[in-house]
Every structure is written in structure tokens, then in C-alpha cells.
Amino acid sequence: MCGIVGAIAARDVVPVLVDGLKRLEYRGYDSAGVAVFDGDKIRRVRRVGRVVEMENAAAAEHLHGQLGIGHTRWATHGGVTEPNAHPHVSHDLIAVVHNGIIENHEEQRERLKGLGYTFESQTDTEVIAHLVHHYYQSAPDLFEAVRRAVRELTGAYAIGVIALDRPDELVCARMGCPLLVGLGEGENFIASDVSAILAATRKVIFLEEGDLGLLTRDNVKIVDKHDAVVEREVHLSDVSLASLELGPYSHFMQKEIYEQPKALSDTIEAVLDAGFAAQLFGPQAEALLPTCTGVKILACGTSYYAGLTAKYWIESIAGVPCDVEIASEYRYRDAWADPQHLVVTISQSGETLDTMEALKYAKERGHKAALSICNVRESAIPRASELVFYTRAGAEIGVASTKAFTTQLVALFTLAVTLGKVRGRVSAEQEAGFLDDLRHLPGSVQHALNLEPQIKTWADKFAVKDHALFLGRGLHYPIALEGALKLKEISYIHAEAYPAGELKHGPLALVDSAMPVVVIAPNDSLLEKVKSNMQEVRARGGELFVFADADSHFSESEGVHVIRTPRHVGVLSPVVHAIPVQILAYHAALARGTDVDKPRNLAKSVTVE
């Protein structure tokens, strides 16, 4: 989950590296560092903490150079210390930055110690630096040394490598972790994410599994995993720099919460234009979707909760069984597979390692077709899938997902209706109704955003608590799960979520006056059941915070606080009810003084196991 950037140019690349690391900081922010060739030696600056700490140190040391690599770290192997920060250097000759995990690093470490190498860090990455150095001694060709070194590695990696006596070369390699090459005029770049190099170029090449790249100022050579020179497609990125700036907002999470009406409108646009057409999911969808007899959803974290919501839609609307699994669990069990069941992977980044590996495993088990729901074009998971639906959430920088989640819900709803349509279960009249529901959804979300002042007063009450309980039923139980996740990941308040009907089967023992209980209570067929569950809480002295609909018929009383979202929007209600729990978590975190966008111990793109 680290971020890497590299540059080779006729100008000083330090500003490029620093700016790139700032934009990659969402991927990890335990420490940061750069290494540049300054015309005489490789100079390295590393600091624990945010990129700005390293930036200040680099400025104080007047660091400059026309070739360099940089890294922002999310710690895996070894603690958060300067010796463990990247770049790692071998014999002042080779410098390496790395995102990923080398699974056989202990074996390689012992081997290298036997060859006389000493280690200054606890990281797996230092193994790479010494391996490259080892092979560079026998054949002083940097590209060849990297090629031979990576053949010795087991695991996942995206790496950038420079050498003291190769001032005109930057070498990179990719296996299992995202890496792209940026093409400039008389300068070239590498990065984990296009956002890191947007200020320099929009022309990018997405490296594929096993690719190695050799960059000079004027050329890029790419060799695939079979050692064949290949030409990869050049893409023109449509990500804008403006989307990566805060603008008038205090935090990216706040900005992204408020971007949801537009993100939803953009994602819905194609559906409103085409109707629920199979072609929305790619050229092969017209042939594949009618043969689908079931759905297997694989995802992690927030995306998993989107999948749990989709289960209700798919089974109800499409009339096919739907199974939802945590990707990191699925890939390690002896799973049964039906070849006619469509595998659906959900990933904001398209690079989530557990989800990618689960997809590979599903195909090994016999699943024939896969659909990727993703927010990042040309990322790894969509490229490995027969079908794809790109959400149009735009760049999401805050670690706590908001607009990616709600646009995933729209994508999954679209899949449910489309499956129902191709199976003859959705009539033309029903399709028109569902389209109308989608058409009105952004407006309903905007109304929910207008509740922020009321929700903020609740957040102040939550900020002094240590625990919270979230309840929901049916379609809204996953929204309770998502609300609890949001609260704990950015405010550090311990929170759990349960189906409201499960209260008396254990969780009710936790309820007392110190435990706030959030209830998702839309005006649907389960409302009366939820009201009964609320009475169970009040009878034990619990304080209720209820997100209801405008047409729900109950009012506030002592110990029962009610905020009414817009009128009940039917089957798409989970999307609307996701908004208040996001706002509650945001303001609770503000009141507690935590880092909203970069919560401790977490990072945005989970590219390690």
C-alpha cells in the first residue's frame, strides 16, 4: 500500500518527486524518502512522518538531480523508523523503492548474508537492493541485473531502481502491484498512480504483470514476463488536477461526501441513456449475462458491504442466487464453483490484492466469466475480467471511502435489474420505474446532505463516547455495517453493527446509557419490526439516534433522537441512508481531533495481503 514515483529528465526532478509523493500519500504516510543522482553520487533523504517532513529536510540539504526515485510508506516489515524508510541502498551504488511484499525475503536475506551483505533495516525491500547489486557485479547492465533479481522474488512488487554509474537510466518492474510509465517530452516517469505525475504528463502506459521497463529521457523499452520486447498501449488520462485539490473544503473526505450527487449522476448517465442494457457491462455481456444462473461477489471492506446490499437486489429483482464473500477468506478455502455463476469483483482502485487473487482463484476453480466493478480505468482487476462496469466517482483521496461506495451501489443495482431484464423477470413498465428511481436519486442524496447541521449536533455527543452500536434490517443492515466501519476507522470509536433482530441474541447485553445506538429506520416493510427492536434498547436505558424517512410515523422522545432523511426512495434507499452515517463519522472525527483523511494504521489502496 506504499506509493512510488520516479523521474528522469533534463531538469531537477526533486520537485516532481516531492509533488508526486504528496499526491500518493493516501497510499501510506508512515515515512517518506527520495534518492537522486546529483552528478556525483546518489544522495538520499528519508524522514519518519508525512511527506512534508521529508520535503523540508530535502530543501535544507539543497537536494537536486536529474534522475531520482521516491517513496511514501505504509509499514509492513519493520517498524516506523528512518532505517526502514525507502529508498533502500546497496553499497552506495544501487537505490530501490518498492511497493508490495516479498514473501521469500527471509530466505533471500540469509542467502545474501552468506554472500557477505549486511542489512541496515528490517524490511523485505532491502533484499531487492542487495540482489540487484549482486547481479550487477557480474554483469554491469542495470536492466539485466533487475531482470535477474526479480526472478528470485516470490510475492508482489512494483519497484523503481537507479544506479550510481547509470545516470541515464531508470529501471522498473511490476508483479501484482500497480505501476505505470508516464511519457513526457525529453523526460519520462514511473508512478503507482497517475495522480503522481499529472502535473508533468497525461500520457501513460499501464504496465502488465511481469513487465520490466527501461526508461531514458527520450525512450521507453518494455519487456514482458517472457523476455519479449513489447509495445504497450499509450493512454491519455482523463483525471484532472482540479479533482485532486481540496478547493473550498477542509478535508478530502468532506469534499468527496459532497461530490456524491455529481458522482452518482455521472455513473447513472449511461444507464439513463441506454436503459438496463447488457452492453453497459462490455461487448461480451450480451452473450454472457443470459447464461448466468447465479452470482458470486468477492470484495473487501466497504466494497464487501456494497456486495451485501447487492445480494438483496440480485435475488429479489433478477431471481438468481447470490453469494457474497470476503475476498481474503474465499481464496484460502476449498471453494465450490458453478461455472455458470458470474464472479463479480468490487474494488475502488482495481488493484486490491486480496480481491485480485480471489478472482484468479475463482477462475482456477472453474468460474468462466467475471465482472469487475471499479473506479479506475485500465487497472489490474478490470483487465483480468471479461466484463467491466466503471463507476464514475472521480478520484477518491480520503482513506474512508464515500463516493466510491455509493457509486458501487448504483453499479450493482444496475447489474441486478439488467440480469432481471435478460432473464425476462423485469417488464418494460418495471424497467421504466427503476430508471425513474435512478433519475431522482442524486436529488435525494442532495437533500440528505442538507441534514449536515443536525447530524453535527449528534456527532458532538458521539465524540465523548468509546463505543457505539449500529442497527439495521434487510437492505439497510449493510448500511449499518458501513456506518460502524466509517466511525471506527476515522474517529477511533469502537463500533459494531448488527441486524436489529439479532439484539436479543447477544448484543443487547452491551446496551446501557453509555452506549449510543444508531438505527437505520426507513419507512419500508420492516419498519414496525425495527420499532420493536428500538423499544428493546430503550427498556435497557440505551440512547437511540434514529435515521428515519420524512414519512416515518414516530417522533422524538426522551432518549430517542430522530433525523429524517428525504421521503422513502424505495429500493434505492440504502444509497440515500449511506450519506448520514458518512457525515456522522466525519464530524465525530473532527470533534475528537483525529486525522480525517489519513487515519492511523490505514492506507487507501490495499495492494498487500
Side-chain angles (χ1 to χ4, degrees):
M1 295 190 287
C2 307
I4 69 174
V5 63
I8 182 167
R11 56 171 165 151
D12 180 17
V13 299
V14 172
V16 176
L17 300 178
V18 170
D19 181 66
L21 292 179
K22 287 180 177 178
R23 298 188 187 281
L24 291 173
E25 203 169 22
Y26 71 90
R27 301 178 70 90
Y29 33 87
D30 292 331
S31 61
V34 295
V36 299
F37 175 69
D38 69 355
D40 180 40
K41 60 182 179 181
I42 291 177
R43 294 180 61 197
R44 176 175 55 162
V45 174
R46 301 177 294 173
R47 289 292 185 274
V48 168
R50 301 295 167 80
V51 172
V52 68
E53 302 294 331
M54 184 275 297
E55 179 186 20
N56 292 337
E61 295 187 23
H62 305 289
L63 194 69
H64 67 278
Q66 297 176 341
L67 169 68
I69 50 178
H71 186 272
T72 180
R73 183 174 186 243
W74 186 80
T76 54
H77 295 79
V80 182
T81 65
E82 190 168 310
N84 287 333
H86 299 217
H88 289 285
V89 171
S90 182
H91 291 77
D92 296 323
L93 178 64
I94 302 293
V96 173
V97 289
H98 165 227
N99 171 35
I101 287 182
I102 305 305
E103 295 175 2
N104 63 337
H105 73 100
E106 290 182 350
E107 169 194 331
Q108 292 293 342
R109 180 181 289 255
E110 292 307 309
R111 174 191 168 204
L112 288 162
K113 283 181 178 179
L115 293 171
Y117 286 89
T118 59
F119 285 78
E120 299 175 353
S121 77
Q122 301 165 300
T123 68
D124 54 342
T125 303
E126 195 175 0
V127 162
I128 304 174
H130 291 322
L131 266 180
V132 173
H133 180 273
H134 170 65
Y135 286 117
Y136 195 62
Q137 300 311 296
S138 57
D141 178 321
L142 183 60
F143 183 82
E144 176 63 17
V146 173
R147 187 183 69 83
R148 293 176 68 180
V150 297
R151 285 183 171 178
E152 304 282 345
L153 304 177
T154 301
Y157 56 80
I159 62 174
V161 187
I162 61 174
L164 174 64
D165 55 357
R166 294 282 174 168
D168 298 320
E169 294 180 0
L170 169 59
V171 177
C172 61
R174 181 206 172 200
M175 180 65 75
C177 291
L179 191 65
L180 58 84
V181 172
L183 307 176
E185 295 294 330
E187 55 187 21
N188 289 306
F189 313 89
I190 62 169
S192 298
D193 185 318
V194 69
S195 64
I197 56 172
L198 267 182
T201 182
R202 292 182 177 278
K203 293 170 65 177
V204 297
I205 295 170
F206 298 100
L207 296 184
E208 299 189 5
E209 291 287 88
D211 279 357
L212 280 86
L214 172 62
L215 283 65
T216 65
R217 291 176 188 168
D218 300 310
N219 293 291
V220 172
K221 170 187 171 183
I222 299 174
V223 172
D224 68 11
K225 60 185 176 183
H226 304 296
D227 295 330
V229 177
V230 292
E231 294 287 333
R232 298 289 184 216
E233 185 179 356
V234 178
H235 300 264
L236 190 64
S237 174
D238 59 0
V239 177
S240 71
L241 274 175
S243 70
L244 306 175
E245 303 294 343
L246 270 175
Y249 298 98
S250 300
H251 302 89
F252 279 106
M253 184 179 180
Q254 182 190 34
K255 176 177 185 274
E256 289 151 13
I257 287 172
Y258 273 87
E259 286 176 338
Q260 285 176 106
K262 184 179 188 306
L264 290 165
S265 293
D266 290 344
T267 301
I268 291 166
E269 181 180 14
V271 187
L272 296 181
D273 288 343
F276 294 96
Q279 296 93 322
L280 289 168
F281 300 92
Q284 298 183 59
E286 204 163 7
L288 290 174
L289 291 185
T291 66
C292 168
T293 60
V295 175
K296 164 81 75 176
I297 296 178
L298 303 171
C300 300
T302 287
S303 296
Y304 170 68
Y305 298 150
L308 290 179
T309 309
K311 177 180 174 69
Y312 291 90
W313 288 329
I314 290 169
E315 294 192 346
S316 168
I317 299 172
V320 296
C322 179
D323 188 25
V324 188
E325 292 204 48
I326 296 172
S328 58
E329 290 294 313
Y330 168 77
R331 59 183 285 211
Y332 290 114
R333 70 177 184 84
D334 191 13
W336 177 85
D338 184 330
Q340 297 305 116
H341 283 197
L342 177 69
V343 174
V344 178
T345 58
I346 313 169
S347 169
Q348 189 279 142
S349 67
E351 303 285 354
T352 309
L353 184 64
D354 285 319
T355 306
M356 183 71 210
E357 293 301 317
L359 172 58
K360 292 177 184 177
Y361 179 64
K363 291 196 169 185
E364 290 170 3
R365 300 298 293 182
H367 287 282
K368 292 181 179 178
L371 163 66
S372 168
I373 292 174
C374 181
N375 191 42
V376 180
R377 292 185 178 275
E378 298 301 324
S379 49
I381 297 175
R383 290 203 305 267
S385 305
E386 288 74 22
L387 308 179
V388 61
F389 187 104
Y390 286 113
T391 57
R392 299 179 65 184
E396 189 178 71
I397 305 300
V399 166
S401 180
T402 51
K403 61 180 181 174
F405 174 65
T406 50
T407 54
Q408 286 170 355
L409 289 175
V410 164
L412 289 160
F413 176 75
T414 301
L415 173 64
V417 179
T418 303
L419 278 173
K421 182 179 175 183
V422 301
R423 290 173 56 81
R425 285 179 55 93
V426 173
S427 67
E429 183 181 359
Q430 288 172 314
E431 179 181 14
F434 287 137
L435 287 171
D436 200 47
D437 290 338
L438 283 178
R439 189 174 290 109
H440 289 98
L441 182 61
S444 296
V445 167
Q446 184 59 59
H447 284 303
L449 289 169
N450 295 340
L451 300 171
E452 183 176 23
Q454 296 169 256
I455 298 171
K456 185 177 182 299
T457 64
W458 283 12
D460 293 336
K461 297 176 183 290
F462 275 74
V464 298
K465 303 293 186 180
D466 295 318
H467 308 277
L469 189 64
F470 284 70
L471 303 175
R473 296 199 76 154
L475 266 173
H476 298 86
Y477 165 53
I479 304 306
L481 286 165
E482 175 64 5
L485 176 62
K486 284 292 160 286
L487 188 66
K488 60 191 163 194
E489 69 183 335
I490 64 169
S491 75
Y492 316 146
I493 297 170
H494 170 246
E496 293 190 59
Y498 281 89
E502 283 292 291
L503 264 178
K504 52 190 170 293
H505 296 289
L508 198 57
L510 295 171
V511 173
D512 60 18
S513 59
M515 170 79 82
V517 179
V518 178
V519 185
I520 314 299
N523 189 16
D524 60 12
S525 60
L526 291 171
L527 180 60
E528 293 306 315
K529 298 288 186 184
V530 173
K531 286 181 179 179
S532 296
N533 302 137
M534 288 165 55
Q535 291 302 318
E536 294 170 1
V537 172
R538 282 303 297 140
R540 276 76 181 178
E543 189 172 10
L544 289 161
F545 296 82
V546 185
F547 289 115
D549 289 333
D551 48 2
S552 294
H553 301 295
F554 58 88
S555 56
E556 290 199 8
S557 58
E558 184 180 356
V560 180
H561 312 280
V562 180
I563 290 179
R564 302 184 188 282
T565 57
R567 65 177 179 83
H568 185 54
V569 296
V571 72
L572 286 169
S573 175
V575 182
V576 176
H577 279 272
I579 309 305
V581 297
Q582 293 171 357
I583 296 172
L584 177 63
Y586 173 73
H587 281 289
L590 284 187
R592 287 170 70 93
T594 62
D595 191 330
V596 173
D597 287 334
K598 299 181 179 68
R600 67 189 183 200
N601 305 332
L602 301 178
K604 183 69 175 174
S605 182
V606 185
T607 57
V608 298
E609 184 176 1

